[in-house]
Amino acid sequence: MLWQRALANTVLLAVALSLSISHVVHEKRSVSLPHKRRRVDSDAIIPVRIGLRQSNLHTGYDRLMEVSHPGSVNYGKHLSKEEVHSLFAPADETIHIVKNWLLGSNLIQKQDIIHYENKGWLAVDMPAKHAETLFGTKYYEHETKRGELRIGCDQYHLPRHISSHVDFVKPGVKLSAPLKKREIEKRGSVRSSPGAIPRLSNIKPPHYPGWKLPSGAGALPLDLQNCGVNITPTCIKALYDIPTACHSQSENAMGLFETFDAFSQEDVSLFLGKFASNTPSHTAPKVISVDGGTAPVEPGNDRNGGESNIDLDLAISLIYPQSVIVYQVDDIPIASGETDTSGFINTFLDSIDGSYCDYSAFGITGDNPGIDGSYPDPFQGGFNGSRQCGTYELTRVLSISYGETEIDLPKPYVERQCNEIMKLGLQGHTILSSSGDFGVAGFPGEDGDERGCLSAQRSNATIYNPDYPSGCPYITSVGATRLYPNQTVNDPESAMQVDIAAFNFATVDGPTSPPLHFFATGGGFSNYFPTPLYQAQDVGQYLKNDLPFQSLPFYEINANATNIGQNGGVYNRLGRGYPDVSANGAFFLTFLNLTERNFFGTSLAAPIFGSVVTLINEERSVIGKGSVGFINPALYKSKKFPRNVSKTALLTRIDPSVLNDITNGSNPNCGSQGFQASEGWDPVTGLGTPNYPKMLQYFLSLP
Ligand SMILES: *[C@@H]1O[C@H](CO)[C@@H](O)[C@H](O)[C@H]1NC(C)=O
Ligand SMILES: *[C@@H]1O[C@H](CO)[C@@H](O)[C@H](O)[C@H]1NC(C)=O
Ligand SMILES: *[C@@H]1O[C@H](CO)[C@@H](O)[C@H](O)[C@H]1NC(C)=O
Ligand SMILES: *[C@@H]1O[C@H](CO)[C@@H](O)[C@H](O)[C@H]1NC(C)=O
Ligand SMILES: *[C@@H]1O[C@H](CO)[C@@H](O)[C@H](O)[C@H]1NC(C)=O
Ligand SMILES: *[C@@H]1O[C@H](CO)[C@@H](O)[C@H](O)[C@H]1NC(C)=O
Ligand SMILES: *[C@@H]1O[C@H](CO)[C@@H](O)[C@H](O)[C@H]1NC(C)=O
């Protein structure tokens, strides 16, 4: 009680705290709150939320492997949402200890404490003065860029025996501007595009002046003769041996994440009518509006950029009669980037898992003001309702063709989100993401560099700039491949590389904006996530065997990712390598604004691979088996599985080459050669493209 009484007298605060050996600083800002205004009125009621420390967080990887690794006796035994919540919920002891401390203060009545449904939170509304006493702090109002007032403090305290049970107290030390600590310079202009950048470029056909029928193409059916310059669903099916789909099971509807960009049904119908004779041309997806997202739009609408169109073109033509669900995420002010929020998919994850809304991990609780959009959105045209939490079910397969550079998001933000993706894997979902389109760089202009590369202080931007969400080890990252014009579907593909500017020149289509000189499939190594065990052997082989890339200077990232580019290195040798797999991402012929166009990008690859996984899940459904869920461990040649392995599992541990290994091409950028495709896994095309019959046989053999 000495501590509390002393605290009431702010003059004595410093002395009192230094005397109080029972209290510790729980969180402290390294930089004072921006726009700090006046003290919060001492009688003002503030909503205090205490995030309780989750148990078992560190066991997430092993738990996921247990249900995802083909060598595990529990393969395929996914958990329910409730089981996942309780697995990571704080221990009863934690709830008990923190509650008792609150009640023991005599400032709070038992009935005032609300215990949140997902067990992660205690909520109490109390006068600011009581909160200040409890947490040994002073609350200030501060104003955000958007003119909203928020409450926060520069540091707060907890009793030592409570501190270990609490992740975070809100209001408290909030995350403000991202990334104050990095040693990487961000020069020049800040990009104005939305946080999640679609990955796609399109050009007008005719796109290949002087093209001649490749030798050997004459012997192919007419609709397969020019796949080297015009990719259609027929070409894709031929490349990967994908049969015409026949199933329609409600549990296997395929999900597509979209934001800002919105499809036009007219464009999709034109595509289906011309290139997908197996589907009625009016086939439309179900649209789920998350926090005010809207689709479809008219063909001439500027939100119809082609990104959503091509996702639907591919998914519908490959899996029809299976249905497709579009999650159209965020209202226009937020999705367009107008509100300057650089965050990525948190509001979407909130909408499909209510427990994520206020979930606390890695020192971050809930969405981040200033990074994630918040609802209701006061911007003009903003979504008027409150943020959607756990409103929707997530499909078994979700394809995301958006991304941004990892470094644009704070490490704890990304760790917390990736942890949620791990939980979705535990529940049997497969989350796929395209790997980016600028080789080893980010989007041109990103991070203040013309090429989208990173620079250590005082040198040119030559450091590779890894992508997110591809860096999350619980995502299946999909790179892109291509055929060359003189090749047919019977030739092996190469890594996708294409000079878009040259095409635009040839077609008099003018410059593409922003300048996209060179498209190359994204790949590399995360700075935030270490190499997961399931790919460690394959990544190790690549690093060891694939000279001359050994000569590419590297660095070894530290725990806080503050030494990017150390000693002249350009990539983190200790990072999670991506992509995991790949699929065709060039010369896709479709319609945009009612006009025929060719599209390029890893955006094409993710929905193709997602469709393949959907088809496999369907066949498993037919024989009474569950979804494949997180497929990476099954796709890698993971020989080092730590758990006990049953005999049957050993027998079915078969030839892992259920993918077509891509060994030609590279992903240069940032002034160097990038990485080169090679035998086995490589950070260009991953393990390779689908060999559907082999994949199907493999996954049908698993429990
Ligand atoms: C769509 O096409 C129409 C007709 O050609 C044109 O007027 C309009 O500007 C186009 N819209 C976009 C967004 O390009
Ligand atoms: C939100 O929508 C409701 C119903 O459309 C309307 O009455 C209300 O004024 C709106 N609120 C704001 C802040 O725009
Ligand atoms: C940095 O780039 C500029 C422009 O490309 C070039 O002129 C300069 O020599 C480069 N500096 C170093 C240290 O490589
Ligand atoms: C195809 O063209 C490439 C050059 O782009 C050339 O290296 C290769 O030999 C050609 N292949 C065939 C089969 O003509
Ligand atoms: C990482 O951050 C922690 C906590 O802020 C700090 O103690 C540690 O020194 C940092 N490590 C490096 C290598 O910067
Ligand atoms: C594997 O471990 C489980 C418990 O984790 C045990 O029940 C089972 O008997 C073990 N199987 C083998 C083959 O050792
Ligand atoms: C291999 O890739 C290179 C580009 O890196 C390309 O020029 C060449 O045509 C490809 N070769 C084959 C056989 O596909």
Side-chain angles (χ1 to χ4, degrees):
M1 280 299 107
L2 167 68
W3 184 76
Q4 276 186 10
R5 254 183 286 124
L7 195 62
N9 182 340
T10 47
V11 179
L12 290 178
L13 181 61
V15 182
L17 288 180
S18 65
L19 288 177
S20 168
I21 50 157
S22 68
H23 281 71
V24 292
V25 175
H26 191 69
E27 277 191 294
K28 183 174 169 28
R29 302 183 64 88
S30 44
V31 177
S32 213
L33 274 174
H35 320 294
K36 192 147 94 176
R37 307 216 330 171
R38 54 187 185 87
R39 281 286 289 281
V40 172
D41 185 274
S42 68
D43 290 318
I45 301 292
I46 61 174
V48 172
R49 305 289 177 263
I50 301 172
L52 303 171
R53 185 146 289 170
Q54 315 277 304
S55 41
N56 296 324
L57 255 190
H58 56 288
T59 67
Y61 179 88
D62 284 345
R63 295 304 294 252
L64 184 59
M65 290 311 113
E66 199 175 319
V67 297
S68 312
H69 194 285
S72 162
V73 289
N74 290 322
Y75 179 85
K77 293 183 186 153
H78 298 124
L79 309 183
S80 68
K81 211 178 237 186
E82 293 67 34
E83 285 169 327
V84 171
H85 292 171
S86 61
L87 182 60
F88 297 103
D92 287 346
E93 185 204 11
T94 289
I95 302 167
H96 191 69
I97 288 174
V98 178
K99 258 191 183 168
N100 278 353
W101 165 63
L102 289 173
L103 295 173
S105 71
N106 292 325
L107 298 172
I108 289 156
Q109 306 297 312
K110 197 169 182 180
Q111 64 271 21
D112 295 338
I113 304 177
I114 298 163
H115 188 189
Y116 269 46
E117 167 207 346
N118 75 334
K119 300 184 184 154
W121 278 87
L122 295 178
V124 201
D125 294 347
M126 62 177 96
K129 61 186 176 198
H130 289 171
E132 293 191 337
T133 304
L134 274 170
F135 306 122
T137 189
K138 296 178 198 171
Y139 282 112
Y140 290 91
E141 291 176 349
H142 61 110
E143 198 173 337
T144 67
K145 263 193 252 172
R146 292 163 60 175
E148 297 161 317
L149 279 186
R150 294 185 187 278
I151 296 167
C153 60
D154 286 338
Q155 65 172 29
Y156 63 89
H157 302 78
L158 289 174
R160 192 179 298 277
H161 75 286
I162 295 299
S163 188
S164 61
H165 291 282
V166 169
D167 256 329
F168 205 77
V169 173
K170 233 168 81 167
V173 177
K174 279 190 196 150
L175 194 80
S176 65
L179 302 168
K180 33 188 185 296
K181 275 207 303 196
R182 82 166 83 112
E183 281 169 11
I184 294 294
E185 282 179 74
K186 276 200 175 193
R187 294 174 301 189
S189 63
V190 175
R191 70 159 200 274
S192 58
S193 38
I197 301 175
R199 316 172 181 286
L200 205 61
S201 189
N202 73 86
I203 57 156
K204 260 186 210 156
H207 39 77
Y208 211 87
W211 179 75
K212 289 201 300 277
L213 195 67
S215 61
L220 294 170
L222 213 54
D223 56 3
L224 289 180
Q225 287 188 354
N226 56 356
C227 294
V229 287
N230 273 329
I231 287 285
T232 60
T234 313
C235 298
I236 293 164
K237 287 177 183 173
L239 275 170
Y240 307 135
D241 255 327
I242 301 172
T244 299
C246 60
H247 298 296
S248 172
Q249 307 132 330
S250 56
E251 73 271 26
N252 285 318
M254 177 174 162
L256 301 171
F257 168 93
E258 308 292 349
T259 184
F260 187 70
D261 187 276
F263 73 99
S264 143
Q265 185 61 48
E266 288 87 336
D267 284 343
V268 173
S269 292
L270 277 173
F271 173 86
L272 296 176
K274 183 157 180 185
F275 299 115
S277 57
N278 57 316
T279 70
S281 64
H282 60 264
T283 309
K286 176 177 172 192
V287 177
I288 287 181
S289 162
V290 176
D291 296 329
T294 55
V297 294
E298 290 302 312
N301 191 296
D302 64 0
R303 283 172 60 212
N304 180 22
E307 187 72 50
S308 309
N309 284 350
I310 60 101
D311 282 348
L312 284 164
D313 295 343
L314 286 162
I316 294 173
S317 58
L318 295 175
I319 69 174
Y320 181 86
Q322 186 58 262
S323 53
V324 175
I325 292 177
V326 167
Y327 296 93
Q328 190 73 36
V329 180
D330 286 331
D331 67 15
I332 301 292
I334 287 167
S336 66
E338 196 187 327
T339 57
D340 220 10
T341 42
S342 64
F344 187 77
I345 74 170
N346 265 354
T347 50
F348 169 69
L349 294 171
D350 291 336
S351 79
I352 51 120
D353 178 4
S355 80
Y356 185 67
C357 286
D358 291 308
Y359 171 71
S360 182
F362 303 97
I364 297 185
T365 298
D367 294 340
N368 284 287
I371 296 184
D372 298 308
S374 60
Y375 298 101
D377 177 0
F379 258 65
Q380 190 174 5
F383 177 56
N384 189 348
S386 51
R387 176 178 62 160
Q388 292 182 312
C389 283
T391 315
Y392 306 115
E393 286 295 317
L394 179 62
T395 48
R396 283 177 162 185
V397 173
L398 178 78
S399 174
I400 304 173
S401 287
Y402 296 75
E404 60 186 292
T405 53
E406 183 181 73
I407 202 164
D408 275 354
L409 296 163
K411 189 178 181 205
Y413 176 100
V414 163
E415 286 174 320
R416 173 179 177 272
Q417 188 175 83
C418 181
N419 188 68
E420 174 69 9
I421 293 168
M422 177 272 291
K423 290 182 178 178
L424 296 175
L426 271 177
Q427 293 165 55
H429 300 281
T430 310
I431 317 290
L432 304 114
S433 151
S434 55
S435 68
D437 296 318
F438 299 95
V440 289
F443 204 81
E446 244 183 325
D447 301 311
D449 179 60
E450 201 182 340
R451 290 185 303 221
C453 305
L454 298 173
S455 60
Q457 274 149 12
R458 290 179 302 280
S459 75
N460 277 351
T462 53
I463 303 167
Y464 298 172
N465 199 358
D467 181 79
Y468 186 79
S470 283
C472 170
Y474 306 124
I475 281 263
T476 300
S477 169
V478 190
T481 52
R482 65 167 291 181
L483 287 173
Y484 279 89
N486 61 358
Q487 293 179 326
T488 73
V489 289
N490 294 326
D491 290 305
E493 291 183 85
S494 301
M496 188 272 287
Q497 265 185 28
V498 63
D499 187 342
I500 305 277
F503 281 110
N504 283 333
F505 183 72
T507 59
V508 204
D509 207 9
T512 316
S513 175
L516 307 161
H517 304 296
F518 189 70
F519 250 37
T521 185
F525 297 89
S526 168
N527 285 315
Y528 288 173
F529 296 97
T531 318
L533 194 57
Y534 68 75
Q535 67 164 194
Q537 195 168 22
D538 299 75
V539 170
Q541 290 279 341
Y542 178 83
L543 293 176
K544 189 161 130 253
N545 297 343
D546 292 305
L547 294 165
F549 296 94
Q550 281 273 77
S551 64
L552 209 54
F554 61 87
Y555 53 90
E556 299 193 341
I557 204 77
N558 64 21
N560 304 349
T562 50
N563 64 335
I564 293 173
Q566 196 174 42
N567 304 324
V570 297
Y571 73 97
N572 170 29
R573 200 181 164 89
L574 305 180
R576 132 84 161 154
Y578 73 93
D580 299 295
V581 291
S582 48
N584 193 281
F587 296 112
F588 183 66
L589 191 55
T590 180
F591 290 86
L592 176 64
N593 194 10
L594 311 178
T595 311
E596 206 159 83
R597 316 283 295 191
N598 270 115
F599 278 81
F600 296 83
T602 51
S603 278
L604 299 156
I608 293 174
F609 210 92
S611 297
V612 165
V613 177
T614 298
L615 294 172
I616 289 170
N617 279 342
E618 290 176 352
E619 297 297 342
R620 282 176 58 91
S621 280
V622 168
I623 58 168
K625 292 185 177 182
S627 63
V628 296
F630 179 52
I631 53 172
N632 293 11
L635 293 177
Y636 279 86
K637 308 166 191 177
S638 300
K639 294 179 183 85
K640 280 192 268 177
F641 188 64
R643 290 175 187 278
N644 65 10
V645 172
S646 74
K647 254 207 185 115
T648 40
L650 271 174
L651 288 175
T652 53
R653 193 123 54 110
I654 34 175
D655 174 16
S657 61
V658 296
L659 297 152
N660 308 308
D661 193 3
I662 306 299
T663 57
N664 184 49
S666 60
N667 55 6
N669 210 333
C670 305
S672 60
Q673 56 204 336
F675 301 104
Q676 188 149 46
S678 66
E679 241 167 72
W681 180 87
D682 50 70
V684 189
T685 57
L687 296 167
T689 61
N691 179 325
Y692 181 76
K694 281 197 188 174
M695 273 182 81
L696 180 64
Q697 186 195 5
Y698 176 45
F699 282 103
L700 285 182
S701 76
L702 297 177

